[in-house]
Amino acid sequence: MSASSPPSPPLVAYENASAEVRAVFDDIKRTRNIPDVNNFWKALARHPDTLRRTWATLKEVMAPGALDARTKEMLYLAVSLANGCAYCVASHERAARKQGMTEEMYAELLAVVAQACETNLLAEAYRVPLDE
């Protein structure tokens, strides 16, 4: 942690969690077939309503639909890269790779994100009017 970074908030471990938080943690573990929830969920558990709402929405959005799981994870990764969220980049890069994202796909994704960021900045800086 750098000198300018605020300290991390305490994480809520399963054994210290309320029954409400444990229920959400149990659903996350069951849905993802994992032994424990990651630190993102443990941080959100400090506010059980946010934890519950975020998990419910994420579970719905990332569920099978018109887009396959790999595409959804790659989109999540692209937005995380653009937003500069190191935690989310690490998490969703791992998930995208687990869903079959290859090194070539990752390189192309990075090129698209970088190009979009550049052209977005230029369009905003030049205040380009919308086309008819």
Side-chain angles (χ1 to χ4, degrees), residues 14 18-28 30:
Y14 187 87
S18 68
E20 179 183 14
V21 167
R22 282 184 183 199
V24 176
F25 281 4
D26 287 341
D27 189 37
I28 293 169
R30 186 173 41 257

Coordinates of all heavy atoms in Angstrom, one line a residue, residues 14 18-28 30:
Y14 N -16.5 -15.2 7.1 CA -17.7 -16.0 7.2 C -18.1 -16.2 8.7 O -19.2 -16.0 9.1 CB -17.6 -17.3 6.5 CG -18.8 -18.1 6.4 CD1 -19.8 -17.9 5.4 CD2 -19.1 -19.1 7.4 CE1 -20.9 -18.7 5.4 CE2 -20.3 -19.8 7.4 CZ -21.2 -19.6 6.4 OH -22.4 -20.3 6.3
S18 N -23.1 -11.9 10.0 CA -24.4 -12.1 10.4 C -25.1 -13.2 9.6 O -24.6 -13.6 8.6 CB -25.2 -10.8 10.2 OG -25.4 -10.6 8.8
A19 N -26.2 -13.7 10.1 CA -27.0 -14.7 9.4 C -27.4 -14.3 8.0 O -27.3 -15.0 7.0 CB -28.2 -15.1 10.2
E20 N -27.7 -13.0 7.8 CA -28.1 -12.4 6.5 C -26.9 -12.5 5.6 O -27.1 -12.9 4.4 CB -28.6 -11.0 6.7 CG -29.0 -10.3 5.4 CD -29.4 -8.8 5.6 OE1 -29.1 -8.3 6.7 OE2 -29.9 -8.3 4.7
V21 N -25.8 -12.1 6.0 CA -24.5 -12.1 5.2 C -24.1 -13.5 4.9 O -23.8 -13.8 3.7 CB -23.4 -11.3 5.9 CG1 -22.1 -11.6 5.2 CG2 -23.7 -9.8 5.9
R22 N -24.2 -14.4 5.9 CA -23.9 -15.8 5.6 C -24.8 -16.4 4.5 O -24.3 -17.2 3.7 CB -24.0 -16.6 6.9 CG -22.8 -16.4 7.8 CD -23.0 -17.4 9.0 NE -21.9 -17.1 10.0 CZ -21.5 -17.9 10.9 NH1 -22.1 -19.1 11.1 NH2 -20.5 -17.6 11.7
A23 N -26.0 -16.0 4.5 CA -26.9 -16.6 3.5 C -26.5 -16.1 2.1 O -26.5 -16.9 1.1 CB -28.4 -16.1 3.8
V24 N -26.1 -14.9 2.0 CA -25.6 -14.4 0.7 C -24.3 -15.1 0.3 O -24.1 -15.6 -0.8 CB -25.4 -12.9 0.6 CG1 -24.8 -12.4 -0.7 CG2 -26.8 -12.2 0.9
F25 N -23.3 -15.2 1.3 CA -22.1 -15.9 1.1 C -22.3 -17.3 0.6 O -21.7 -17.8 -0.3 CB -21.2 -15.9 2.3 CG -20.5 -14.6 2.6 CD1 -20.6 -13.4 1.8 CD2 -19.6 -14.5 3.7 CE1 -19.9 -12.3 2.1 CE2 -18.9 -13.4 4.0 CZ -19.0 -12.2 3.2
D26 N -23.3 -18.0 1.3 CA -23.6 -19.4 0.9 C -24.1 -19.5 -0.5 O -23.7 -20.4 -1.2 CB -24.6 -20.0 1.9 CG -24.0 -20.3 3.3 OD1 -22.8 -20.4 3.4 OD2 -24.8 -20.4 4.2
D27 N -24.9 -18.5 -0.9 CA -25.4 -18.5 -2.3 C -24.3 -18.3 -3.3 O -24.3 -18.9 -4.3 CB -26.6 -17.5 -2.4 CG -27.3 -17.6 -3.8 OD1 -27.5 -18.7 -4.3 OD2 -27.6 -16.6 -4.3
I28 N -23.4 -17.4 -3.0 CA -22.3 -17.1 -3.9 C -21.4 -18.4 -4.0 O -21.1 -18.8 -5.1 CB -21.4 -15.9 -3.4 CG1 -22.2 -14.6 -3.4 CG2 -20.1 -15.8 -4.2 CD1 -21.6 -13.5 -2.7
R30 N -22.3 -21.5 -3.5 CA -23.0 -22.6 -4.2 C -23.1 -22.3 -5.7 O -22.8 -23.2 -6.5 CB -24.4 -22.6 -3.5 CG -25.3 -23.8 -4.0 CD -26.6 -23.9 -3.2 NE -27.3 -22.6 -2.9 CZ -27.2 -22.0 -1.7 NH1 -26.6 -22.6 -0.7 NH2 -27.9 -20.9 -1.5

